[in-house]
Amino acid sequence: AQSVTQLDSHVSVSEGTPVLLRCNYSSSYSPSLFWYVQHPNKGLQLLLKYTSAATLVKGINGFEAEFKKSETSFHLTKPSAHMSDAAEYFCVAPNTGRRALTFGSGTRLQVQP
Amino acid sequence: EPEVTQTPSHQVTQMGQEVILRCVPISNHLYFYWYRQILGQKVEFLVSFYNNEISEKSEIFDDQFSVERPDGSNFTLKIRSTKLEDSAMYFCASSVTNLNTGELFFGEGSRLTVL
């Protein structure tokens, strides 16, 4: 079964500095992978997705993620954090049957002024 | 922009009562889902629904839960006899295709509090 592990439960950065949110996956085959974001009192929104095309995936709001098979990683990055980026971020993968999503435990991003 | 809408946004109920959470998926979507998030825990899959039947369900989705698409627009989750541990945020989602290429569009959630 495919699973994802988010390595940090909380990340705090200063506004204008880079963001790195880490995710490792385990899969016996080439996976699909997603990053979702949840702002306070809001639903979950897709940031970006990897589906075996380009290994560097660009998403909304300046975020991108790189699929690295050798490291089984799919880390989320942004060159310069903005206050509005403060939210919970989830690394997500389809389950074995590809009929449901398996969520990582989430990383709460704080952006300090 | 089309969106998934959920009602109510918050419901408080007594243990043992029946609860129905309602969702209006995006109109041209074919796959429908319910997820839940207990406070401080992971988002968990409950059930997926396609072509008017359940296509997959998790072990959480026991006989106390049921889903229905009573008309062409609504998708409901019923909990027959609520327990304290059912307190959670429940998210409805829909997608055009299956998860190989598609993305899920989530509603803003219905917070259920069981007293």
Side-chain angles (χ1 to χ4, degrees):
Chain A
Q2 183 163 232
S3 66
V4 290
T5 302
Q6 292 184 245
L7 302 170
D8 308 292
S9 59
H10 288 88
V11 169
S12 182
V13 300
S14 298
E15 191 174 20
T17 65
V19 175
L20 170 64
L21 305 182
R22 298 182 294 167
C23 173
N24 286 105
Y25 70 91
S26 65
S27 174
S28 57
Y29 54 89
S30 186
S32 299
L33 292 164
F34 307 85
W35 276 98
Y36 277 80
V37 61
Q38 184 181 26
H39 287 94
N41 301 314
K42 294 289 185 183
L44 295 146
Q45 182 185 19
L46 180 71
L47 264 183
L48 49 79
K49 62 181 178 182
Y50 167 76
T51 53
S52 304
T55 56
L56 182 63
V57 182
K58 293 189 185 300
I60 62 172
N61 301 334
F63 283 93
E64 60 183 38
E66 187 171 6
F67 174 76
K68 290 187 176 179
K69 189 173 182 179
S70 60
E71 298 176 8
T72 61
S73 69
F74 189 58
H75 300 334
L76 182 70
T77 60
K78 182 173 181 178
S80 176
H82 192 272
M83 295 297 290
S84 60
D85 295 328
E88 184 107 20
Y89 292 80
F90 295 94
C91 184
V92 182
N95 68 358
T96 305
R98 293 181 178 262
R99 291 186 177 141
L101 296 178
T102 299
F103 281 72
S105 53
T107 299
R108 182 163 297 280
L109 175 65
Q110 286 184 307
V111 182
Q112 309 289 346
Chain B
E1 185 176 326
E3 58 181 17
V4 175
T5 57
Q6 291 186 240
T7 54
S9 57
H10 189 192
Q11 182 157 356
V12 181
T13 190
Q14 295 291 324
M15 192 169 56
Q17 295 296 303
E18 176 182 284
V19 160
I20 297 176
L21 305 179
R22 291 183 168 80
C23 171
V24 180
I26 295 174
S27 61
N28 64 333
H29 286 189
L30 301 176
Y31 297 77
F32 313 112
Y33 312 83
W34 283 100
Y35 287 77
R36 79 172 184 190
Q37 185 180 30
I38 295 171
L39 188 63
Q41 298 186 23
K42 284 186 180 186
V43 177
E44 302 171 293
F45 167 73
L46 292 179
V47 65
S48 60
F49 192 86
Y50 170 71
N51 201 27
N52 283 320
E53 60 183 25
I54 291 173
S55 52
E56 186 164 344
K57 60 183 181 179
S58 71
E59 57 191 30
I60 302 169
F61 194 86
D62 61 22
D63 292 344
Q64 292 299 312
F65 292 89
S66 63
V67 289
E68 194 178 31
R69 189 156 162 80
D71 52 43
S73 59
N74 290 284
F75 179 52
T76 61
L77 174 69
K78 182 193 291 186
I79 308 175
R80 268 181 261 284
S81 177
T82 50
K83 304 189 274 286
L84 295 177
E85 54 265 36
D86 294 328
S87 294
M89 180 74 92
Y90 288 81
F91 292 103
C92 175
S94 67
S95 63
V96 176
T97 67
N98 63 23
L99 295 177
N100 280 325
T101 56
E103 68 177 90
L104 264 57
F105 291 79
F106 285 85
E108 294 194 351
S110 293
R111 181 169 297 284
L112 176 65
T113 302
V114 182
L115 303 177

